[in-house]
Amino acid sequence: MQNKRSIRGKVAIVGVGQSPSGRVPGRSPLDLTADATLKALADAGMDKSEIDGVLTGNAFASSFHRFSVALSEYLNIQPSFSNTLQVSGATAGAAVNIAAAAINGGLADTVLVACGDSLLTGMTPDMAIRAMTESRDQQYEMPFGIPVANTFAMTAQRHMKEYGTTSEQLAQVAVTFREHARRTPGAQKTDSITVEDVLNSKMVTTPYHKLDCSLISDGAVALILTSAEKAHEYTQEPIYILGGGEYYSHEHIFLMPELTQTGAVQAAKKAYEMAGVTAKDIDVAGIYDCFTGTVLMMLEDLGFCKKGESGPFVEAGEITYGGAIPTNTHGGMLSYAHPGIPAAWFHFAEVVRQLRNSCGERQVASAELGLVHTLGAGFSTQATTILGTGSTL
Amino acid sequence: MSEQKVGVEEALKKPLPTPDGDSQPMWDGFKEGKLLLQHCGDCGHVQYYQQGICRNCQSPNLQHQKASGRGVIHSYSVVHRAPGPAFRDDVPYAVLLVELEEGPRMISRLVGQDFDSLDFDLPVRLETIKVSDELFLPYFALNECN
Ligand SMILES: [Zn+2]
C-alpha cells in the first residue's frame, strides 16, 4: 500500500537565520546568504565545520550557476553534498524535503538549506520582472507578453468565474497578511491597509491590483537540518520534519489539467500521509503568497476549506489568530519580503519559530504542528512540508 | 559600450521565439495563416504543443492538420503593467487562454483592445499577426457576431 520509506521524525531543523530583508542596498546575494548562514549557525550553537551538505536556489542578481558551490567557497567550507535546485517558487520546500532525504539516506549529516537574492536593489525593477518572465516558455508563452503574474491571474479569474470569488475576498488576504506584518520586526510593509486600498491600487494584470501582488525585496534565509540523533546537541528545541510531498503537473499553463485545482492536492496528500496527520490537525501554516488568489486556491487544495469556499473562509477571519488556520504570521511575500526564490524560506523560518514558541506577540497559542507549502511557475511546481515539535513524534 | 548598457538594450527587445526541430513546421504554418495541430495516427489525440511523440500514447505517428481557427476563451487577463520594457508600448493588452475547437488550449493574445467585451467561453477566431517576414504570431479576435 503506502510507501513504507519515510523521513518522518528522522531529521530536524536546528538552526534558523536571516539577513536583513526588504531594502538592503550594497550587499550581494552571496553576502546576504552568508550573513543568514552565520546567524543560523549561531542560533543552533554550531560550528560551520559541522556542515557537510549545502542546498540552495539560484539568485537572479548573481551570475553564479552553481550558487550552492559558490556559497560554500564564500563560507570556506567544503561539503560532500551540494546542489543548486530550480523548481521556481517550490524550491524552498523541495530543498528542505531533499535535505531531509539526504540526511536520512546517509548522504550528509548536517545540511545548510539557504537562499538569498537582491531583487530590489541588485537589479532594476524591470530587470527583476524580466528575470521572472524568462521562466515562461520562449516559444509558446513569452512572445505574447505573458508575465508569470498573468498565469496566476488567469487561474484566479477562472476561480472567480466558477465559484463567485470576489475581488474583495482576494483583497482580504493582503489586508490580513499586512496586519500580521505589522507585528513582525523587519517587515518591509507595515502601514495598515484596507480592502478598499487594495482595490484602489493600480491594476497590474486583471484581477490583480498592485496590493494583490507580492513585494520585490532583498534578503536571505538559512536553515540548518541535521539528524534526529544529533539534533539534541544544539541550542534550540529541534523542530522535526514529519512529512514531505511534491507534485509537478505541467510546465505550460495551457497544459495545466484544470485552472482551479492544482497539484497542491497531491503534494499535500503525500505529506499528510507521511506525517500521519490531516489539515484539521495543523496549528499554523506558511503558504506561498505570490498573489492573493494563490492563497485562496491553496487553502482549498491543502484541505483547509472546501473547493470554492476559500473566499468566505478568508472573509470570516479563518487565516488569522483565532481562526481555523493562522497563516503567514510574519506577513508573507505580500508584506514581509519577497526576494524571489528565497521568499518561501521566510515561511519556513516563521513556522519553525512558531513551533519553537518564540514568536512573542504574534505567537499562535500552543502551536505544535505546522505546514509550509511552496509553489511556483503558474502552479507547475508544488512542495509541501509538515513540521512538528518533539511532542508530535 | 558598458556591460550594463548592453543589458538595458537586451531588455528593450521583445523575446522572439526561436523555432526548434519540434516546432519549425508550426511556425512555418503561421506564415501561411495556418495553425497546425498534431493529430496522433494511433490514438486520435490532438495536441498543440509540438512534440516528437503523442502526449497520450507516446506514438511517433503524428500528422499535422490545419486547425479550424475557432475556439473559446477559457480564461484571460488584461495586462496593465508591462512585463519588462519591451512590452511597455503594448499595454494594456489581453492575454488569452484559448480552448481550440479541436480540444487543446493555447496561450495567445487578443487582437485589439475591446476588453469590455471579453468574457469566459466567448467564441474567438485565429488571426496571424505579422511581426517580420520570418515571424507571424497567432492572435485571436472576437467574432464580429458576438
Ligand atoms: Zn497517441
Side-chain angles (χ1 to χ4, degrees), chain A residues 20-40:
Chain A
S21 60
R23 178 177 292 278
V24 193
R27 300 189 64 181
S28 72
L30 279 175
D31 180 32
L32 291 169
T33 314
D35 180 335
T37 302
L38 296 179
K39 286 173 177 151

Side-chain angles (χ1 to χ4, degrees), chain A residues 124-127 129-130 133 137-147 149-150 153-155 157-158 161-162 203-207 216 252-259, chain B residues 10-11 13 15-20 23 26-27 48-50 55 74-81 83 85 87-88 93 95 97 105-109 120-121 137-139:
Chain A
T124 67
D126 281 337
M127 294 298 278
I129 290 165
R130 188 173 159 85
T133 61
D137 187 288
Q138 180 265 346
Q139 292 193 67
Y140 291 83
E141 294 174 332
M142 261 328 287
F144 305 98
I146 172 169
N150 200 275
M154 283 194 289
T155 60
Q157 294 263 85
R158 191 77 205 179
K161 144 90 177 163
E162 288 181 17
M203 189 59 86
V204 173
T205 183
T206 56
I216 297 178
H252 299 90
I253 187 71
F254 56 87
L255 287 170
M256 185 173 180
E258 274 184 72
L259 286 194
Chain B
E10 272 305 302
K13 284 188 206 152
L16 297 178
T18 308
D20 58 26
S23 65
M26 177 186 77
W27 288 107
Y48 162 61
Y49 186 74
Q50 309 279 305
R55 278 171 50 73
H74 185 67
S75 196
Y76 63 93
S77 177
V78 181
V79 178
H80 294 267
R81 165 96 163 80
F87 290 96
R88 199 166 278 155
Y93 58 86
V95 173
L97 180 61
R105 291 178 188 161
M106 64 184 286
I107 284 292
S108 181
R109 214 207 260 194
F120 299 93
D121 307 320
L137 288 174
Y139 280 28

Side-chain angles (χ1 to χ4, degrees), chain A residues 76-347:
Chain A
N76 194 12
I77 58 172
Q78 292 74 36
S80 52
F81 172 78
S82 182
N83 222 318
T84 305
L85 304 170
Q86 171 53 297
V87 284
S88 293
T91 305
V96 169
N97 292 346
I98 292 168
I103 292 165
N104 190 41
L107 290 177
D109 288 326
T110 299
V111 180
L112 167 67
V113 180
C115 200
D117 209 340
S118 46
L119 280 196
L120 180 57
T121 63
M123 31 198 335
T124 67
D126 281 337
M127 294 298 278
I129 290 165
R130 188 173 159 85
M132 293 294 199
T133 61
E134 277 169 355
S135 71
R136 304 314 309 166
D137 187 288
Q138 180 265 346
Q139 292 193 67
Y140 291 83
E141 294 174 332
M142 261 328 287
F144 305 98
I146 172 169
V148 71
N150 200 275
T151 62
F152 286 105
M154 283 194 289
T155 60
Q157 294 263 85
R158 191 77 205 179
H159 195 276
M160 294 168 92
K161 144 90 177 163
E162 288 181 17
Y163 299 109
T165 306
T166 65
S167 290
E168 287 78 8
Q169 289 166 342
L170 298 179
Q172 185 58 49
V173 174
V175 171
T176 302
F177 292 171
R178 179 62 58 88
E179 283 309 306
H180 293 173
R182 286 163 59 77
R183 306 183 188 200
T184 314
Q188 191 170 343
K189 293 285 182 188
T190 54
D191 50 319
S192 190
I193 56 169
T194 64
V195 165
E196 215 161 66
D197 290 334
V198 179
L199 300 185
N200 288 335
S201 63
K202 259 191 182 165
M203 189 59 86
V204 173
T205 183
T206 56
Y208 290 143
H209 306 82
K210 184 165 189 278
L211 292 177
D212 285 298
C213 302
S214 47
L215 307 167
I216 297 178
S217 322
D218 308 320
V221 180
L223 308 169
I224 297 173
L225 281 71
T226 195
S227 65
E229 294 82 54
K230 276 172 63 85
H232 296 282
E233 297 172 16
Y234 305 101
T235 315
Q236 299 285 350
E237 177 195 351
I239 300 302
Y240 295 88
I241 313 292
L242 300 181
E246 295 166 38
Y247 204 71
Y248 302 91
S249 53
H250 60 283
E251 164 69 19
H252 299 90
I253 187 71
F254 56 87
L255 287 170
M256 185 173 180
E258 274 184 72
L259 286 194
T260 55
Q261 179 165 311
T262 75
V265 172
Q266 292 90 340
K269 180 171 188 284
K270 186 166 182 174
Y272 287 137
E273 283 178 3
M274 191 181 289
V277 302
T278 68
K280 282 192 185 63
D281 302 317
I282 304 295
D283 300 311
V284 60
I287 298 179
Y288 196 86
D289 54 327
C290 49
F291 301 97
T292 52
T294 309
V295 177
L296 291 186
M297 282 171 59
M298 289 305 94
L299 289 166
E300 297 170 4
D301 290 357
L302 297 170
F304 294 119
C305 67
K306 291 204 184 98
K307 184 47 75 182
E309 294 182 3
S310 57
F313 186 79
V314 166
E315 271 181 337
E318 301 289 6
I319 63 169
T320 190
Y321 299 88
I325 183 70
T327 300
N328 296 357
T329 50
H330 62 311
M333 298 151 66
L334 287 163
S335 283
Y336 185 83
H338 176 232
I341 301 298
W345 260 262
F346 287 97
H347 295 68

